Amino acid sequence: MARGQLVFISGGVRSGKSAYAESIVRNFSNARKIYLASGQVNDEEMKERIERHRLDRLEDNWLTIEQAYELENVTKILQPRDLVLWDCVTTWLANELYEGWETGKMCSEIEGCMEAKWTKLQETLIKMLGTVDLLTIVSNEVLDDFVRDEHYQAWLGRIHIWLVQQADQAIEMENGLAFKRK
């Protein structure tokens, strides 16, 4: 069964990973470019950053989809030959892992909750790869993130291992330099 190419890019905060990922997608022509943004507008600064990034991609005719939760809903609009950039796994993970914090019962504390979300994510990514030509996924390094929580770091590590195993290319970014690991 044919599948699209998977490129996984990881790096520290401000390592240049997102710009590098965009450059990979921009190298393809005559295909629809889709940017999946996991960020949420929580304050005025984030709202301005999201809008600035969206405007930067307009000149290349990117379709930007703000999808902090339920990434599987995006599969409904994907078409063959699409080029998809998902930025980023770490934001998705934080959203999912700490879902329910307002009520005092987070997903990370509910038995089987994250396992179900992880299974759904794997199925979603495999479905995407069955449709698109390219899926580029960006993530922060496991220990180089703002979240210092053992559940978060363990899940991020687990996700990274799977993504590297599935990837056609695994790239680590450091200070704007790309190091291919696979």
Side-chain angles (χ1 to χ4, degrees):
M1 182 174 163
R3 76 170 189 113
Q5 182 180 11
L6 175 60
V7 176
F8 175 60
I9 302 171
S10 178
V13 175
R14 308 255 189 263
S15 64
K17 61 191 174 294
S18 295
Y20 186 77
E22 283 187 33
S23 74
I24 289 173
V25 176
R26 281 190 172 103
N27 282 332
F28 289 82
S29 60
N30 301 325
R32 187 170 72 153
K33 296 171 182 72
I34 299 174
Y35 187 95
L36 301 178
S38 295
Q40 303 183 117
V41 176
N42 295 324
D43 57 32
E44 200 58 38
E45 178 189 2
M46 184 59 94
K47 180 179 179 182
E48 289 172 14
R49 286 179 65 194
I50 288 171
E51 189 56 32
R52 185 177 66 245
H53 288 296
R54 182 181 287 149
L55 290 173
D56 288 345
R57 290 185 297 272
L58 272 180
E59 64 190 50
D60 287 335
N61 295 319
W62 289 76
L63 169 61
T64 299
I65 301 170
E66 304 294 335
Q67 194 68 30
Y69 296 97
E70 299 173 354
L71 192 63
E72 65 275 7
N73 290 336
V74 173
T75 61
K76 298 171 189 170
I77 65 154
L78 295 179
Q79 301 170 4
R81 303 199 35 84
D82 280 350
L83 309 170
V84 178
L85 168 55
W86 178 30
D87 196 357
C88 94
V89 171
T90 47
T91 306
W92 173 88
L93 177 60
N95 290 334
E96 297 291 355
L97 196 64
Y98 302 118
E99 180 183 52
W101 68 268
E102 314 88 359
T103 64
K105 196 68 170 170
M106 297 183 297
C107 179
S108 63
E109 299 169 341
I110 300 169
E111 188 174 333
C113 183
M114 267 314 292
E115 287 77 4
K117 290 177 182 287
W118 172 225
T119 298
K120 187 182 281 187
L121 177 62
Q122 288 173 304
E123 291 168 353
T124 299
L125 295 177
I126 289 167
K127 187 172 182 179
M128 285 179 169
L129 286 169
T131 303
V132 304
D133 278 359
L134 175 68
L135 174 58
T136 303
I137 299 175
V138 176
S139 185
N140 290 356
E141 292 174 341
V142 174
L143 297 175
D144 191 32
D145 210 342
F146 298 114
V147 182
R148 299 288 181 197
D149 173 282
E150 64 185 57
H151 294 293
Y152 175 84
Q153 291 172 340
W155 273 106
L156 188 57
R158 184 175 180 181
I159 293 168
H160 279 205
I161 289 168
W162 186 83
L163 286 170
V164 168
Q165 290 171 340
Q166 303 301 311
D168 297 290
Q169 288 185 56
I171 299 166
E172 183 179 347
M173 294 295 297
E174 189 170 320
N175 296 320
L177 300 174
F179 299 93
K180 291 187 180 180
R181 300 297 183 201
K182 183 177 180 184

